[in-house]
Amino acid sequence: MLGSHVSQSPGSEGFNRIVIVSVVAAMLAVAVWLVLDAVILACTTVAQLNYLDGYAVDDMLRLARGNALYPSLSDPPHVVLVYTPIFFALGAAAVSLGADPFAAGRLLVLMSMLGSVAMVTIAGYRRTGWVAIVIGLGLILSPIQWPWSLVIRPDTLAILCSVAAVLVAFRERIEGGSVVLAAVLCVAAVFSKQSALAAPAAIALQLMIRDRRGAFVFIGVYVSMTAAIAVALHGVTNGVFFFHTITANANPFSGERIVSMVGRFLIGNPLFVAVLVVMVTSALQRQKLSGPGSYALISMITALGVGKIGSSLNYFLEPTLAVALWAALEFPVRWISPSSRVRAAVVSAAVAVTGIVAIVSGLHQLRGHAAVRAAFPLHSE
């Protein structure tokens, strides 16, 4: 486990262990409450908690009833679905099996988020130990991550596929099968949400540097599968698939909105900023950018799509996961000195962050309960 080679006195090592266990236990307690409470909300609230929920549920119900997911605009119902289909197909399958559409959609989002967190934590623990655990719990408590964990949108499913693709592609030993599987996972990501392009871009870039033949295999599989599926969907939807998923997304773009939304995200997520600064500094010191690092930086570029009119902070969900993955795998644990001053600073920061994220995430969860109380009377009418 990284960091274990730093010489420490028995007293300081015991002190560090107590602090780590205490902070992790506190974060875990809040995270468990948030997850369990969210599952209860998801399964028992048969009404929309967000204006996006209703649109998504309507799309799932339409498909579950055997109607077109991407209907012709010349015939009723006159609706437009601006996302690729996998998320809605999974939701419709659950509805066909008797699940409530609101519960099915929310649980799919929540399970996708938790799946990404689990992959980040497990993969990172082998390299950075307790740091990866703290990062994983921090993700669950994240001020940007948690509010979107019950909104019925395809973002978290696309991120789940992207994170899995990056982990598969950048295993310590790259094999041909890994490259093909990574390409398939990237295809799944882009057909969950068509803007999920950061992972394939990062994988292709890094493979071009490390394994030119693997890069051509990856690009060939990814491009051919994506093109074949897209053309097939365009054909079976009578030529409206590209309009729904591409043309209908061509909203006006504003540079001023990018500045505003990026500012809101950075101000509301100082822990993300701190971790990003540490990881970029570490990469500059080593003069090397890894595959997960490329994914993190490229995801921040694709997140600039937030400048599109009608966008929201969900564009920053993927950068949050990508930077967390980078840190869980490569955090410079050696920087955490055993000196008493540094220990005191780390303890203070850990306690402060634990308290802040717990309060912020708890408030977001209470807002969900307030939305439920407001929605039920309207739904019953």
Side-chain angles (χ1 to χ4, degrees):
M1 194 178 300
L2 292 182
S4 59
H5 300 297
V6 179
S7 61
Q8 298 181 357
S9 66
S12 65
E13 186 176 351
F15 175 78
N16 288 346
R17 186 178 294 111
I18 291 172
V19 171
I20 292 167
V21 170
S22 300
V23 172
V24 169
M27 295 179 75
L28 180 62
V30 179
V32 168
W33 168 70
L34 283 171
V35 171
L36 292 179
D37 193 61
V39 170
I40 294 172
L41 273 176
C43 293
T44 60
T45 308
V46 290
Q48 65 184 66
L49 303 178
N50 184 292
Y51 79 95
L52 297 168
D53 290 354
Y55 293 110
V57 165
D58 179 67
D59 295 327
M60 290 187 294
L61 287 174
R62 190 168 64 252
L63 184 58
R65 292 165 181 162
N67 298 320
L69 184 60
Y70 301 100
S72 170
L73 300 180
S74 59
D75 301 315
H78 300 290
V79 296
V80 174
L81 174 58
V82 296
Y83 299 113
T84 39
I86 291 180
F87 176 84
F88 302 94
L90 291 174
V95 171
S96 298
L97 294 173
D100 175 80
F102 288 101
R106 291 185 188 121
L107 287 177
L108 180 56
V109 170
L110 183 62
M111 293 303 106
S112 297
M113 184 197 78
L114 294 177
S116 296
V117 171
M119 286 193 294
V120 167
T121 306
I122 294 170
Y125 184 76
R126 299 170 184 171
R127 299 190 185 185
T128 58
W130 63 267
V131 172
I133 296 176
V134 172
I135 289 171
L137 291 173
L139 272 174
I140 295 179
L141 301 175
S142 169
I144 179 64
Q145 188 74 16
W146 191 253
W148 291 95
S149 63
L150 291 178
V151 179
I152 307 177
R153 289 180 57 91
D155 300 71
T156 56
L157 180 61
I159 294 169
L160 175 70
C161 297
S162 295
V163 170
V166 170
L167 286 173
V168 167
F170 299 125
R171 293 191 300 183
E172 292 183 5
R173 181 182 176 187
I174 300 176
E175 302 172 349
S178 300
V179 172
V180 173
L181 178 57
V184 172
L185 288 168
C186 286
V187 172
V190 82
F191 282 101
S192 295
K193 189 180 181 186
Q194 62 270 44
S195 60
L197 301 174
I203 293 170
L205 176 64
Q206 284 290 322
L207 286 178
M208 288 297 289
I209 298 171
R210 298 163 54 180
D211 178 9
R212 189 68 60 88
R213 181 177 176 277
F216 288 130
V217 171
F218 173 81
I219 293 171
V221 173
Y222 176 73
V223 171
S224 60
M225 285 189 66
T226 301
I229 295 172
V231 170
L233 285 171
H234 196 62
V236 299
T237 58
N238 298 315
V240 298
F241 175 70
F242 290 140
F243 176 85
H244 279 263
T245 58
I246 297 176
T247 307
N249 270 296
N251 292 351
F253 202 81
S254 167
E256 183 179 343
R257 183 173 179 81
I258 292 179
V259 174
S260 172
M261 297 296 281
V262 169
R264 283 179 58 190
F265 169 70
L266 295 179
I267 291 172
N269 296 269
L271 187 58
F272 170 89
V273 177
V275 172
L276 177 61
V277 169
V278 169
M279 298 311 300
V280 170
T281 303
S282 176
L284 290 174
Q285 279 192 347
R286 292 183 289 112
Q287 296 185 335
K288 181 181 179 181
L289 184 63
S290 65
S294 297
Y295 173 48
L297 297 182
I298 292 174
S299 71
M300 286 188 284
I301 296 174
T302 60
L304 296 181
V306 75
K308 186 176 68 172
I309 303 302
S311 62
S312 190
L313 291 174
N314 62 294
Y315 275 71
F316 298 104
L317 290 173
E318 186 170 24
T320 303
L321 259 299
V323 170
L325 176 64
W326 188 16
L329 293 172
E330 302 177 20
F331 190 89
V333 182
R334 64 188 183 280
W335 289 7
I336 304 177
S337 165
S339 72
S340 58
R341 288 185 179 180
V342 174
R343 280 206 313 273
V346 171
V347 170
S348 301
V351 171
V353 169
T354 301
I356 291 171
V357 297
I359 292 171
V360 171
S361 300
L363 289 174
H364 279 300
Q365 190 75 350
L366 292 176
R367 288 179 187 173
H369 284 279
V372 170
R373 289 193 297 270
F376 266 127
L378 294 174
H379 185 69
S380 63
E381 293 176 1

